[in-house]
Amino acid sequence: HPSNPNDIKEALNVFGRATEQTERPTTPTRKQYKTKRHHTPYMAATMNLSPDLFLTIFKNAFYLYCSSVIVLPILSVFQERKIWKSPLLPSLSPLGLIKVFLFNVVWMGATLVGGLLLLPKFIVGKFFGFDCQLEAHYVERLTGMLCCSMFISPKVEIVGEEHLPAINDNSAPAPIYVANHASQIDLGVVYFLKRRFKWISKDSVRYIPGPGLIMTLSQHVFIVRTGKNRKSVSNLYAQSNAAIQAGLPMFFFPQGTRRMAERLPFKDGAYRVALENKSRLIPISIHIPLTCWNSWYPLCLLWGGKVENLRLTIHPPIEAKEGMEKEELKKLTYDAIFSCVPLIGEEVTEFKKKK
């Protein structure tokens, strides 16, 4: 025990500094701060995720994905109903709405099953250099033909089939199919052509369970329609040109959207691809009966009821020659396609500008 007052004072000062250093919170280093900041309770729970819990989450997500084939067709019903709301068309009856719903359930369910069966081959092919495009196309074809035969008409009449390329014709440049677009039925009935082709579709379609999966496996062309989509449009032409030069036809709906009571002007996409590749344009007229959804088909077959069939009319090919203009090709295909499709409403000469 020091007896000198100066020694006592110095001892107290040393004790005070030691206590202050012990109680003062230390400033974390940059590395410590990052580690502490990112280790949230959620991250900690994720890091400690057990295999059983992960498997449960995966199974629930998979069940939710598959069960959406019953829910999402409701949206398709509203979309199709909107097309038939024109006063010039028969509005969809309750029976028609049910048929639209079932049409989409079968479409989504069949493509989902087919896509899941092909998915292992698609994944393995990424490592060994092969794909399942052909098999995915056959799933699409069988699904489209099945849906039309089950809910629309027992037969599809095909006029001008001699204008189609041979089934095994893979010569380049491949032709480009262009057709009018009135209903979601179009997406199924064109598979009665029994020819392979690639679609142009909105990028959002790839996330739809069933059709999105099978179209991804088929490697169709997806584009972004809104916002700054220069890269997407450039990708559209690059992929289309590659397919044409590889002997694989492209299929365009140059109207760009579905209309039953209007004839919209054609957009440039198909014609630019045709001119760049000096390819043939094959116009196709799709005739959809006005009673297709509201009819009692297939039940009416039990009592001998009559059903108006779907009809595809294939017109002579139009060569996209050097020196031709897009507008000239548009007019030739437009006149050919609508030459045998009855005009229900008005003929729109130009697109309305978006505000």
Side-chain angles (χ1 to χ4, degrees):
H1 298 284
S3 58
N4 191 338
N6 292 331
D7 293 341
I8 295 173
K9 185 177 180 179
E10 184 179 354
L12 290 174
N13 289 337
V14 171
F15 178 77
R17 286 196 299 269
T19 305
E20 183 180 4
Q21 289 178 1
T22 304
E23 295 177 352
R24 182 187 302 168
T26 58
T27 303
T29 64
R30 186 180 184 87
K31 184 176 181 180
Q32 290 173 336
Y33 176 74
K34 285 186 175 181
T35 305
K36 184 176 181 181
R37 181 181 61 179
H38 289 290
H39 277 71
T40 61
Y42 172 77
M43 291 294 295
T46 305
M47 294 174 63
N48 296 328
L49 191 65
S50 65
D52 291 340
L53 182 58
F54 177 81
L55 183 61
T56 301
I57 294 174
F58 177 80
K59 286 170 59 177
N60 290 337
F62 180 73
Y63 291 153
L64 181 63
Y65 178 81
C66 294
S67 62
S68 61
V69 302
I70 304 296
V71 179
L72 292 181
I74 298 175
L75 300 178
S76 299
V77 172
F78 282 100
Q79 291 176 347
E80 191 72 9
R81 180 174 175 268
K82 184 179 179 180
I83 296 172
W84 293 80
K85 284 184 69 175
S86 169
L88 301 173
L89 299 172
S91 59
L92 294 184
S93 64
L95 174 62
L97 297 175
I98 293 173
K99 288 177 67 175
V100 175
F101 175 77
L102 295 177
F103 182 97
N104 283 275
V105 168
V106 174
W107 184 285
M108 295 179 66
T111 52
L112 178 62
V113 172
L116 291 176
L117 291 176
L118 291 175
L119 191 58
K121 182 177 180 180
F122 175 78
I123 295 173
V124 174
K126 288 291 185 180
F127 299 96
F128 294 95
F130 59 86
D131 56 49
C132 55
Q133 291 187 50
L134 182 61
E135 295 88 341
H137 170 76
Y138 282 122
V139 171
E140 296 172 6
R141 181 189 297 184
L142 292 174
T143 301
M145 297 173 71
L146 174 66
C147 290
C148 289
S149 299
M150 285 181 64
F151 302 106
I152 309 301
S153 68
K155 181 182 178 182
V156 174
E157 301 173 8
I158 300 180
V159 181
E161 192 170 1
E162 66 275 9
H163 299 307
L164 291 171
I167 293 179
N168 296 321
D169 183 6
N170 297 320
S171 59
I176 298 173
Y177 302 112
V178 288
N180 57 305
H181 197 15
S183 167
Q184 56 187 261
I185 298 172
D186 302 336
L187 303 176
V189 70
V190 294
Y191 283 104
F192 281 88
L193 297 173
K194 297 179 181 178
R195 300 297 190 277
R196 190 180 168 197
F197 51 79
K198 280 194 174 186
W199 290 113
I200 305 294
S201 179
K202 295 184 296 185
D203 185 69
S204 57
V205 171
R206 73 166 79 231
Y207 305 108
I208 299 177
L213 174 60
I214 203 68
M215 290 184 70
T216 300
L217 300 182
S218 295
Q219 298 186 25
H220 291 283
V221 181
F222 296 97
I223 62 170
V224 178
R225 285 187 176 179
T226 58
K228 297 180 180 180
N229 59 349
R230 287 186 179 181
K231 184 177 179 181
S232 179
V233 173
S234 176
N235 182 54
L236 155 67
Y237 292 121
Q239 290 193 52
S240 298
N241 293 341
I244 294 295
Q245 293 302 324
L248 184 57
M250 296 295 300
F251 203 115
F252 285 82
F253 291 121
Q255 290 174 271
T257 188
R258 292 174 285 178
R259 287 291 188 276
M260 279 289 291
E262 295 176 321
R263 290 182 180 178
L264 299 179
F266 288 174
K267 296 185 177 182
D268 293 345
Y271 306 98
R272 174 175 167 177
V273 174
L275 288 170
E276 288 181 356
N277 295 277
K278 303 298 184 291
S279 183
R280 293 167 294 158
L281 288 159
I282 301 181
I284 299 175
S285 302
I286 303 175
H287 172 65
I288 297 177
L290 296 181
T291 58
C292 62
W293 289 123
N294 293 338
S295 71
W296 281 92
Y297 177 82
L299 296 178
C300 65
L301 298 179
L302 298 175
W303 56 81
K306 293 184 178 180
V307 180
E308 186 178 357
N309 291 323
L310 295 165
R311 185 171 66 250
L312 297 174
T313 303
I314 298 96
H315 301 276
I318 298 172
E319 296 285 345
K321 300 178 181 178
E322 188 173 355
M324 296 184 74
E325 298 291 334
K326 286 183 288 186
E327 295 303 321
E328 181 182 358
L329 290 173
K330 284 183 186 179
K331 187 178 187 312
L332 291 173
T333 56
Y334 184 97
D335 292 342
I337 289 171
F338 290 114
S339 64
C340 53
V341 177
L343 177 61
I344 300 173
E346 62 177 336
E347 189 172 22
V348 181
T349 57
E350 60 181 10
F351 286 104
K352 296 178 180 179
K353 293 183 179 180
K354 294 183 179 180
K355 295 182 179 181

